Amino acid sequence: MDNRQQTRTEEVMAAIKARAAARQLAPGDRLPSIRRCAAAMKVSPSTVVEAYDRLAAEGLIRARPGSGFYLTGHGLPPLSLAQPATPRAVDPFWVSRQSLDAGPDTLKPGCGWLPPDWMPNEALRRGLRSLARGGDEMLAEYGSTRGSLPLRRLLLGRLAEEGLQLSPEQLLLTGSGTQAVDLVCRFLLQPGDTVLVDDPCYFNFRALLRAHRLRLLSVPFTPTGPDIQAFEAIVAAERPRLYITNAALHNPTGASLSPQAAYRVLSIAAAQDMAIVEDEIFADFEPDPSPRLAVLDGLDRVIRIGSFSKTLSASVRSGYIAARPDWVEGLVDLQIATSFGGPSPLAGGLIADVLAGGGYRKHMEEIRRRLAQARRAVAPRLEALGIRPWLMPRGGFYLWCRLPEGVDSAELSRLALADGVVLAPGNVFSVAQTAGDFMRFNVAQMREPRVYEALERSLLASRRSDRPAVGARPAP
Amino acid sequence: MDNRQQTRTEEVMAAIKARAAARQLAPGDRLPSIRRCAAAMKVSPSTVVEAYDRLAAEGLIRARPGSGFYLTGHGLPPLSLAQPATPRAVDPFWVSRQSLDAGPDTLKPGCGWLPPDWMPNEALRRGLRSLARGGDEMLAEYGSTRGSLPLRRLLLGRLAEEGLQLSPEQLLLTGSGTQAVDLVCRFLLQPGDTVLVDDPCYFNFRALLRAHRLRLLSVPFTPTGPDIQAFEAIVAAERPRLYITNAALHNPTGASLSPQAAYRVLSIAAAQDMAIVEDEIFADFEPDPSPRLAVLDGLDRVIRIGSFSKTLSASVRSGYIAARPDWVEGLVDLQIATSFGGPSPLAGGLIADVLAGGGYRKHMEEIRRRLAQARRAVAPRLEALGIRPWLMPRGGFYLWCRLPEGVDSAELSRLALADGVVLAPGNVFSVAQTAGDFMRFNVAQMREPRVYEALERSLLASRRSDRPAVGARPAP
């Protein structure tokens, strides 16, 4: 259809809508016939057919076979589709919902992804055009249970480069990295089982594990991995079935596992027969690879999870699981039962197209360069507000920071939200609730001066609102 | 990149691979520099850069910054990615896996979808091209928690046309129809709870509910819906928390709910405070709409599930839930916890583009016409083999058939699979295991004479293999 016909179709649609809005057509009324409408509006009958079809698709009119088109009176409800601004506790969902449903004017230093203009959008566009030239199967069918073959081939190569030689039976694509962790929990755990996470840890692990009705324990995280003494004690005493962590650029701290910690974690897990999920969603942001539990272990008790949401596109939605063949076999069944089929062949094909294109390495080099620059630029601006990074990470986009003395990060986040800025307060990352004076910042989302202005205002307001409470406390 | 450069890049890649295969390059060896390789192969340096990048993406070589490219020796494992042909029980997973992982030469009258060339592939291709022209946000970001706004707007209109006036808070997009049912189960149920399904019912409901560790009961299904007396008795006696069904073109029988049955089912559910999931994935295949529980009930205790996998594309993967606002609010949190974010904005945008295009109504009219024709053509051919439809459905692609006396449908399915034909034997649909002499056929997948030849051979072999067993039985 050319642009002129497109415009005419829209004119016919607008005319019908205007008549309905002006009550010249009432619900149940028959629309003029195609022929009569075409004559009245001086357009071709095919333009009217197209306009009526589109109005039917919108639900405004309805076809009765052999009889014509009738006004339904249903139109679209005259409501905004925005989320209701219900007051909610500042919990893990608070951060997810505020970040995901933020309007275009909201700034999001608390979110967990890069700005859209950092992503390889031209490669994605080329990929979409290439899929548009592809076969019917790729467009129409469920695809195989383990997901897109071209993407699995590429992943096998990339994992081999890290030192993980997998058989194809050990790899399963999923709908997202989170869905991958979800499937593993379903496969390995039962409600009431004990799971160990880091403190702090990625806040959505807490939400996910709560959805599974699991018992959650946490181990303090240090700049080189979990506190090994605490880890050993808690694993021996509580016998968790599973430990979930990130070895590379841990979320939220940005720390990476040391070789010694990696070895000790694995030995302790082996001694107590505990499985480990290693979520390596930030691995490609490392300047060079840190030790990986999955590689040391050879995927015996460690399950490797990955995703392309942080590096290529969060819109395309694709993750993967690498694990023991017998576990993957069970995970395939679970994914069929709970999603039917594997992940979208179209999504897998698109990711594979971008990865195979050869520009991915350069894209990630550029991203790493920009993030290093952003870290260097953001850290002193936060320091100037009395907000101090816990460590300077080797890569990635997070800075885990301690707030000025006496500032509560949940309160600060509430105040900043009212100022149009979404933050990620410390305790949403903490099972033990010991991170109330911490905040996770995403350096890639902090280019605008408004972020720092809002932070400064919120810090000031937070101190002011504290005063009466302090005065009301009994003297120590 | 033009085609000539593409070809040269591939030539360079092939040359490096050939040298690696011939052991002229060993793992750890440094590749020739870009400049030297370009000179040796008489191509431009940018062609070599492209080739090296693609080989790195495949894992065959690896870049060491500032030092050049090295052979990893990892290559791709020389294995086929086909599923291992392990012997499995003929259970719900058997049908799913055999259908999803079938090779191109396998015929699939047992599968639950249309052949790819029946789908609106040109509209999907136009949609992909239109997304390629779209904004960065759509390509790169997670999108809002409830999913693509254009798709939700269209769905509100379509549901209004059915008589369901929803507020936008009542609609949630999901990764698939199955994921929608899965989320609802997570939200409403706990392990050990009792759930009621039809007998027969869609086989993957059985797999899904087992994954949730639920107690499964079933009610016999009649040509007008569940057997109401049995339904009333079982609901009163067992107090199931949830009933899962399809009102329109029930899977596998193709029956639709009568108005009387719909009213009774709702009344009984209300009296015992039971929730209902109405999975309407086949609704658009009906020539005209049958009574809908969700419409009668006004989405108080009924949850409406839908998907576009059967009508537009199974590759794009998108489903939805329409329910009470407070339930949807909880489902949004659960979807964040278990998938992070909503369904793919790209998938939602693509479906919306196809639905809004106006060709959807014509596409479905054509599909319904072709399916009616296929039903008329297939039924007599099955009858000629002694396979009799339980009823002639008003629409859809299923024929639920009784096999000739004494033929076991699981045995027949095993024999047919060896002959390259995937069938869907009755008992995978039956909680009570009372459908051993039934088979579900997909009339859209039965154009090839080879289907009937294989069926005939398998029927013959199944009778032959029965004889010794019959002879061995004690006389009645």
Side-chain angles (χ1 to χ4, degrees), chain A residues 190-225:
Chain A
Q190 302 214 20
D193 278 354
T194 301
V195 175
L196 183 62
V197 294
D198 301 311
D199 210 317
C201 73
Y202 171 40
F203 59 77
N204 201 52
F205 287 161
R206 293 182 56 208
L208 172 64
L209 297 169
R210 209 185 302 159
H212 282 270
R213 301 183 168 90
L214 297 163
R215 182 173 160 246
L216 226 61
L217 297 176
S218 66
V219 56
F221 204 74
T222 79
T224 55

Side-chain angles (χ1 to χ4, degrees), chain A residues 148-231:
Chain A
S148 157
L149 187 57
L151 180 51
R152 280 186 287 146
R153 278 195 206 283
L154 284 162
L155 270 173
L156 285 177
R158 288 162 53 88
L159 290 167
E161 204 183 326
E162 284 186 27
L164 261 180
Q165 288 278 14
L166 303 189
S167 77
E169 285 69 38
Q170 293 183 267
L171 194 58
L172 171 63
L173 303 186
T174 62
S176 69
T178 305
Q179 274 188 35
V181 181
D182 186 48
L183 274 180
V184 168
C185 289
R186 282 186 148 165
F187 179 64
L188 291 180
L189 305 171
Q190 302 214 20
D193 278 354
T194 301
V195 175
L196 183 62
V197 294
D198 301 311
D199 210 317
C201 73
Y202 171 40
F203 59 77
N204 201 52
F205 287 161
R206 293 182 56 208
L208 172 64
L209 297 169
R210 209 185 302 159
H212 282 270
R213 301 183 168 90
L214 297 163
R215 182 173 160 246
L216 226 61
L217 297 176
S218 66
V219 56
F221 204 74
T222 79
T224 55
D227 175 324
I228 290 297
Q229 272 193 306
F231 186 84

Side-chain angles (χ1 to χ4, degrees), chain B residues 2 29 37 60 64 103 119 127 229 273 282 287 313 323 327 333 346 349 365 368 384 440 445:
Chain B
D2 64 21
D29 279 0
C37 179
L60 194 73
R64 292 197 195 140
M119 301 302 256
Q229 273 193 305
D273 197 21
F282 296 104
S313 162
W327 287 3
D333 279 346
L346 209 68
E365 266 173 18
R368 284 191 294 264
R440 187 192 73 181
Q445 301 274 3

Side-chain angles (χ1 to χ4, degrees), chain A residues 134-461:
Chain A
D136 285 356
E137 285 74 15
M138 161 80 92
L139 292 174
E141 292 218 301
Y142 282 96
S144 65
T145 55
R146 279 163 204 251
S148 157
L149 187 57
L151 180 51
R152 280 186 287 146
R153 278 195 206 283
L154 284 162
L155 270 173
L156 285 177
R158 288 162 53 88
L159 290 167
E161 204 183 326
E162 284 186 27
L164 261 180
Q165 288 278 14
L166 303 189
S167 77
E169 285 69 38
Q170 293 183 267
L171 194 58
L172 171 63
L173 303 186
T174 62
S176 69
T178 305
Q179 274 188 35
V181 181
D182 186 48
L183 274 180
V184 168
C185 289
R186 282 186 148 165
F187 179 64
L188 291 180
L189 305 171
Q190 302 214 20
D193 278 354
T194 301
V195 175
L196 183 62
V197 294
D198 301 311
D199 210 317
C201 73
Y202 171 40
F203 59 77
N204 201 52
F205 287 161
R206 293 182 56 208
L208 172 64
L209 297 169
R210 209 185 302 159
H212 282 270
R213 301 183 168 90
L214 297 163
R215 182 173 160 246
L216 226 61
L217 297 176
S218 66
V219 56
F221 204 74
T222 79
T224 55
D227 175 324
I228 290 297
Q229 272 193 306
F231 186 84
E232 184 157 28
I234 205 166
V235 172
E238 305 283 351
R239 305 292 302 268
R241 298 284 309 268
L242 180 68
Y243 169 51
I244 307 187
T245 192
N246 327 102
L249 302 174
H250 173 261
N251 182 0
T253 64
S256 291
L257 209 57
S258 73
Q260 298 77 33
Y263 173 70
R264 293 297 306 279
V265 162
L266 267 187
S267 311
I268 296 165
Q272 303 288 351
D273 197 22
M274 178 177 72
I276 298 177
V277 164
E278 189 176 49
D279 177 0
E280 290 298 37
I281 192 163
F282 295 104
D284 284 359
F285 290 96
E286 282 195 308
D288 47 87
S290 52
R292 300 287 154 78
L293 295 170
V295 175
L296 280 180
D297 173 64
L299 289 185
D300 179 28
R301 65 179 60 256
V302 178
I303 296 170
R304 157 76 177 249
I305 301 291
S307 154
F308 307 95
S309 300
K310 309 300 181 190
T311 51
L312 290 183
S313 162
S315 172
V316 179
R317 315 249 69 196
S318 184
Y320 66 87
I321 300 174
R324 285 161 48 163
D326 54 330
W327 287 4
V328 170
E329 199 62 15
L331 291 163
V332 167
D333 280 346
L334 260 180
Q335 182 157 263
I336 291 172
T338 57
S339 307
F340 199 72
S344 158
L346 210 66
L350 183 51
I351 301 276
D353 193 276
V354 175
L355 282 182
Y360 181 71
R361 189 179 58 87
K362 262 175 284 184
H363 160 66
M364 284 311 298
E365 266 173 19
E366 171 68 8
I367 291 286
R368 284 192 294 264
R369 196 188 56 71
R370 287 176 76 172
L371 284 174
Q373 208 169 45
R375 268 195 306 280
R376 280 195 300 272
V378 168
R381 299 189 72 167
L382 289 174
E383 298 252 19
L385 296 169
I387 300 172
R388 268 171 296 273
W390 184 68
L391 61 71
M392 276 304 276
R394 298 164 58 235
F397 39 81
Y398 295 134
L399 281 182
W400 177 243
C401 298
R402 191 186 291 275
L403 298 177
E405 177 113 19
V407 175
D408 175 67
S409 61
E411 170 67 8
L412 189 68
S413 303
R414 268 191 219 99
L415 290 164
L417 186 64
D419 217 345
V421 173
V422 176
L423 297 177
N427 268 343
V428 306
F429 301 89
S430 173
V431 171
Q433 295 290 289
T434 52
D437 52 346
F438 277 84
M439 189 75 84
R440 187 191 74 181
F441 290 98
N442 177 341
V443 297
Q445 300 273 4
M446 297 178 72
R447 287 177 290 186
E448 301 219 18
R450 190 150 69 80
V451 169
Y452 304 93
E453 291 155 20
L455 269 175
E456 191 163 12
R457 273 193 300 272
S458 303
L459 279 169
L460 207 63

Side-chain angles (χ1 to χ4, degrees), chain B residues 140-426:
Chain B
E141 294 218 299
Y142 281 95
S144 65
T145 54
R146 279 163 204 251
S148 156
L149 187 59
L151 180 52
R152 280 185 287 148
R153 279 195 205 282
L154 284 163
L155 270 173
L156 285 177
R158 288 161 53 88
L159 291 167
E161 202 181 330
E162 283 186 27
L164 260 181
Q165 288 277 13
L166 302 189
S167 77
E169 286 70 39
Q170 293 183 267
L171 194 58
L172 170 64
L173 303 186
T174 63
S176 70
T178 304
Q179 273 188 35
V181 181
D182 186 48
L183 273 181
V184 168
C185 289
R186 282 186 148 167
F187 179 64
L188 291 180
L189 306 172
Q190 302 213 21
D193 278 354
T194 301
V195 175
L196 182 62
V197 295
D198 301 312
D199 210 319
C201 72
Y202 170 39
F203 59 77
N204 201 53
F205 287 162
R206 293 182 58 209
L208 173 64
L209 297 169
R210 208 185 302 159
H212 282 270
R213 301 183 166 89
L214 297 163
R215 183 172 161 246
L216 226 61
L217 297 175
S218 65
V219 56
F221 206 75
T222 80
T224 55
D227 175 325
I228 290 296
Q229 273 193 305
F231 186 84
E232 184 156 28
I234 205 167
V235 171
E238 305 283 350
R239 303 295 301 269
R241 297 284 309 267
L242 180 69
Y243 169 51
I244 307 187
T245 191
N246 329 102
L249 301 175
H250 174 261
N251 183 357
T253 64
S256 291
L257 210 57
S258 73
Q260 298 76 33
Y263 172 71
R264 293 297 307 279
V265 162
L266 267 187
S267 312
I268 294 164
Q272 304 288 351
D273 197 21
M274 178 177 71
I276 298 177
V277 164
E278 189 177 50
D279 177 2
E280 290 298 38
I281 192 163
F282 296 104
D284 285 359
F285 291 96
E286 283 194 308
D288 47 88
S290 53
R292 302 286 153 78
L293 295 170
V295 175
L296 280 180
D297 172 64
L299 288 187
D300 178 28
R301 66 179 60 258
V302 178
I303 296 170
R304 157 75 177 251
I305 301 290
S307 154
F308 308 94
S309 300
K310 309 300 181 191
T311 51
L312 290 183
S313 162
S315 173
V316 179
R317 314 249 68 197
S318 185
Y320 66 87
I321 301 174
R324 284 161 50 163
D326 53 331
W327 287 3
V328 170
E329 197 63 13
L331 290 164
V332 167
D333 279 346
L334 259 180
Q335 180 155 265
I336 291 173
T338 57
S339 307
F340 199 73
S344 158
L346 209 68
L350 183 53
I351 301 275
D353 193 277
V354 175
L355 283 181
Y360 181 71
R361 189 179 59 88
K362 260 174 285 182
H363 159 67
M364 284 311 298
E365 266 173 18
E366 170 69 7
I367 290 286
R368 284 191 294 264
R369 196 189 54 72
R370 288 177 76 173
L371 284 174
Q373 209 168 43
R375 268 194 306 278
R376 280 194 301 271
V378 167
R381 300 190 72 168
L382 290 174
E383 300 251 17
L385 296 169
I387 301 173
R388 266 170 298 272
W390 183 69
L391 61 71
M392 277 304 275
R394 300 164 57 234
F397 38 80
Y398 295 134
L399 281 183
W400 178 242
C401 298
R402 192 185 291 275
L403 298 178
E405 179 113 18
V407 175
D408 174 67
S409 61
E411 170 67 7
L412 190 68
S413 303
R414 267 191 221 97
L415 290 163
L417 185 65
D419 217 344
V421 173
V422 176
L423 297 177

